[in-house]
Amino acid sequence: MKTIKFKGVEVGTGKVVYGDFLNGASGKLIYEHRGTLPARYVEPESVRQMVGYDKNGNEIYEGDTIIIDDKGEMTVGEILPPQYLKFGVLKGNSDYESNS
């Protein structure tokens, strides 16, 4: 069964919270445990859905920065707004092809 999970930055504290997402009338909320309180109000632009796991079992979310070093090891970074994301492919040993 696929895990559906979200993360976002809590309003007021700046803390990243994880759980179920609700787009409520008074704002966007994340429940850390399904349907239980407290629900946390999160910054609307910070909400990201989990898209899978890396080979080490770390969660990957929309908007995460993924860095692959020269040994093929992958590191998952922090939340970034979409306008700052750049995607590209390494070709051979040194040629980089970017989407921008």
Side-chain angles (χ1 to χ4, degrees):
M1 173 183 256
K2 182 177 177 179
T3 301
I4 299 175
K5 189 174 178 182
F6 295 84
K7 75 176 179 179
V9 177
E10 185 176 15
V11 173
T13 68
K15 175 185 169 192
V16 177
V17 294
Y18 301 83
D20 295 322
F21 174 70
L22 174 66
N23 192 6
S26 60
K28 296 185 183 307
L29 300 156
I30 289 185
Y31 292 88
E32 293 184 87
H33 302 286
R34 185 172 295 270
T36 62
L37 295 176
R40 312 283 184 192
Y41 282 97
V42 293
E43 299 290 345
E45 66 280 354
S46 74
V47 176
R48 302 290 189 258
Q49 185 172 357
M50 190 177 90
V51 295
Y53 298 92
D54 69 11
K55 68 179 183 179
N56 298 316
N58 299 311
E59 297 172 347
I60 300 174
Y61 289 82
E62 295 172 323
D64 281 353
T65 301
I66 299 175
I67 301 166
I68 300 175
D69 67 19
D70 58 352
K71 296 177 185 166
E73 295 297 318
M74 183 167 57
T75 304
V76 178
E78 78 274 358
I79 295 174
L80 291 175
Q83 66 267 29
Y84 297 111
L85 297 179
K86 302 233 185 245
F87 297 94
V89 193
L90 285 176
K91 297 165 84 177
N93 290 333
S94 61
D95 296 330
Y96 178 76
E97 185 176 293
S98 173
N99 72 335
S100 54

